[in-house]
Amino acid sequence: MITQAEARQTNEMIRDEKLDVRTITMGIDILDCADENIERFCTKVYDKITKTAKDLVKTGDEIAMEFGVPVVNKRISVTPVSVAASACRCEDYVPVAKTLDAAANEVGVDFIGGFSALVQKGESTSDVKLIRSIPEALASTDIVCSSVNLGSSRSGINMDAVKRIGHIIKETALLTKDADSLGCAKFVAFCNAVEDNPFMAGAFHGVGERDCAINVGVSGPGVVKRALEDVRGADFETLCETVKKTAFRITRVGQLVAREASQRLNVPFGIIDLSLAPTPAVGDSVAEILQEMGLEYAGAPGTTAALAILNDNVKKGGVMASSYVGGLSGAFIPVSEDHGMIEAVEAGALCLEKLEAMTCVCSVGLDMIAIPGDTTEETISGIIADEMAIGMVNNKTTAVRIVPVYGKKAGDTVTFGGLLGYAPIMPVNKFSCASFVNRGGRIPAPIHSFKN
């Protein structure tokens, strides 16, 4: 039960500190739509999504109105299409992507995820079809998001797929060049992808999940920053306790919304994802939290340590507030979506290599980074391989969402709009990794993968 004091604190967080429920995401299993005929499969998928999620947006809006908690996005994730559509006899899965887009638009959600494949140890025929379909699928749809899991701590890294994804990203950038290569912003390459992630572009409904579930992602970087202002200059123990207590309060809000949505929709509650996901708005920035900790800019010496403190204590506070904290939960560092990160790049404090170091301790990885359009596909594959290695060795989720913007060079800027914000084009190391990427095969799992 939420007490009156907690309700008062919550109102202050919403009014003054930009606390919001970033997303209510309904996960829908589409395995029971399997069919050899792709047209019948698409019809079944459309019917199931539009029937199951018909009240999702209305319910989210009603909860936001009644409780006074902004619910920014309503989203859907489905079973990875490469698994669900594997029985279809067809050349590609672009029709499936268009069906997902149509169904999502019909029920009024903001995004739909699950045009995905899991290829950490190898690729099936269906996986190859899906990966080959990604550029056209993202170019011909509006709100479909795609992801591919390329590695895991138990399986290693599928370098054949890593190489292929470098090409896929470049092709997607080319097909969407008239929109500043925006298609790439709807694609994520993962290592150790989780099955209950409510955040786009990497959300999919895992094959180990129930038929349908409600997952809620809560965000509140502004709330954390405001709390740290009250302990400015205090020791690290005080700093950590402040972050934990604040994360506890934020998670309680998410728990309330998630339970209410689950009950009203008659759909089982899945998890709360307590991720500090920033927006381009001033005061809603993870970089500002790092500055409040004592850094002149994100990227200054000490940044990785500060981010580690933030991430760990967000998780500690969250798990005390809910028994079902899951997803990614921690701190996101997307460059284009965080005005503090953008300022750090423009000041010269933050580069691609420093961002990579920071991903060792943050929730995901290299996120919403715009790079020159002439960056080679081998270089993109090399960047992905580095990030996959961090996830594999450290037994954590890492990801790459990178946008080679056609016609842009380092120092230019690109505007994506909405929550995706704008970004400076970041320079990329010019030295070649082509011979390394072209070796092919699979990087074996690290020794600590043997845990049976």
Side-chain angles (χ1 to χ4, degrees):
M1 176 68 69
I2 301 289
T3 66
Q4 286 187 346
E6 284 181 299
R8 193 162 49 249
Q9 290 175 337
T10 299
N11 288 333
E12 291 172 358
M13 291 190 292
I14 294 166
R15 184 183 65 244
D16 302 327
E17 299 158 14
K18 295 183 170 62
L19 173 66
D20 59 50
V21 170
R22 186 57 50 89
T23 178
I24 296 177
T25 300
M26 177 180 283
I28 301 174
D29 177 19
I30 58 170
L31 287 173
D32 57 354
C33 299
D35 200 295
E36 288 186 355
N37 182 284
I38 192 168
E39 293 181 357
R40 288 198 298 265
F41 173 75
C42 288
T43 298
K44 293 178 184 178
V45 168
Y46 182 89
D47 290 345
K48 183 164 189 180
I49 291 172
T50 53
K51 179 181 178 181
T52 307
K54 68 181 188 302
D55 294 326
L56 176 60
V57 172
K58 181 182 72 171
T59 300
D61 290 342
E62 288 173 352
I63 292 172
M65 181 68 69
E66 291 177 28
F67 290 87
V69 179
V71 179
V72 180
N73 289 289
K74 278 71 70 177
R75 299 165 174 170
I76 294 170
S77 63
V78 299
T79 315
V81 168
S82 72
V83 179
S86 58
C88 294
R89 296 183 178 179
C90 57
E91 292 300 315
D92 63 64
Y93 292 146
V94 174
V96 182
K98 292 181 177 180
T99 298
L100 295 177
D101 201 52
N105 278 300
E106 175 63 24
V107 298
V109 296
D110 301 282
F111 288 105
I112 184 166
F115 197 75
S116 307
L118 311 175
V119 299
Q120 57 268 24
K121 202 169 184 179
E123 297 157 89
S124 67
T125 301
S126 184
D127 294 327
V128 172
K129 287 181 187 178
L130 183 128
I131 292 172
R132 192 170 58 223
S133 303
I134 288 171
E136 186 178 348
L138 296 182
S140 60
T141 60
D142 295 320
I143 55 177
V144 170
C145 293
S146 177
S147 62
V148 178
N149 193 63
L150 299 169
S152 75
S153 297
R154 298 299 297 266
S155 302
I157 303 171
N158 182 348
M159 287 301 293
D160 288 328
V162 168
K163 177 183 175 182
R164 186 172 289 113
I165 291 301
H167 173 74
I168 291 297
I169 289 173
K170 285 285 287 187
E171 188 178 348
T172 304
L174 177 62
L175 290 180
T176 58
K177 66 179 182 179
D178 292 339
D180 287 326
S181 302
L182 184 62
C184 298
K186 299 186 290 177
F187 174 77
V188 180
F190 273 119
C191 179
N192 291 320
V194 297
E195 296 188 331
D196 56 6
N197 167 25
F199 284 102
M200 300 297 170
F204 62 85
H205 190 65
V207 295
E209 297 287 310
R210 64 192 86 195
D211 188 61
C212 190
I214 287 292
N215 299 319
V216 168
V218 184
S219 181
V223 181
V224 176
K225 178 181 180 293
R226 177 65 186 84
L228 291 181
E229 290 174 359
D230 292 337
V231 294
R232 187 173 294 165
D235 59 28
F236 283 108
E237 288 83 357
T238 303
L239 186 154
C240 291
E241 285 299 311
T242 301
V243 174
K244 280 194 293 185
K245 290 176 181 177
T246 306
F248 177 90
R249 291 162 54 199
I250 294 170
T251 308
R252 292 276 282 177
V253 175
Q255 179 90 345
L256 173 65
V257 171
R259 293 288 187 190
E260 193 67 26
S262 171
Q263 182 178 16
R264 295 188 186 194
L265 291 166
N266 195 29
V267 172
F269 164 49
I271 56 94
I272 299 291
D273 186 318
L274 178 61
S275 288
L276 299 182
T279 71
V282 175
D284 201 23
S285 162
V286 171
E288 285 185 351
I289 298 174
L290 303 179
Q291 290 175 285
E292 185 58 43
M293 288 183 175
L295 304 173
E296 184 177 4
Y297 281 106
T303 296
T304 305
L307 188 59
I309 292 168
L310 177 63
N311 221 46
D312 183 54
N313 287 285
V314 163
K315 294 177 189 290
K316 286 175 178 175
V319 297
M320 290 297 293
S322 173
S323 298
Y324 297 99
V325 172
L328 300 167
S329 290
F332 288 178
I333 51 172
V335 173
S336 79
E337 299 173 20
D338 187 317
H339 85 93
M341 292 290 178
I342 294 169
E343 290 179 354
V345 172
E346 291 174 338
L350 193 58
C351 63
L352 195 58
E353 288 74 20
K354 182 61 177 180
L355 279 165
E356 183 180 296
M358 292 163 66
T359 65
C360 295
V361 298
C362 78
S363 290
V364 191
L366 297 172
D367 194 14
M368 282 307 294
I369 295 171
I371 60 174
D374 62 358
T375 305
T376 67
E377 58 189 62
E378 291 86 2
T379 294
I380 293 172
S381 293
I383 292 169
I384 292 171
D386 284 342
E387 200 59 39
M388 300 301 100
I390 290 173
M392 176 184 72
V393 172
N394 290 290
N395 199 31
K396 68 183 293 294
T397 302
T398 52
V400 175
R401 186 162 53 143
I402 197 165
V403 185
V405 184
Y406 265 80
K408 299 285 188 178
K409 61 183 184 301
D412 293 341
T413 60
V414 58
T415 300
F416 297 118
L419 285 176
L420 297 178
Y422 79 97
I425 307 295
M426 299 185 69
V428 174
N429 192 310
K430 294 293 186 182
F431 291 92
S432 176
C433 62
S435 295
F436 176 78
V437 169
N438 289 329
R439 283 178 176 271
R442 180 162 58 93
I443 297 176
I447 188 64
H448 62 64
S449 67
F450 298 103
K451 295 182 178 180
N452 293 336

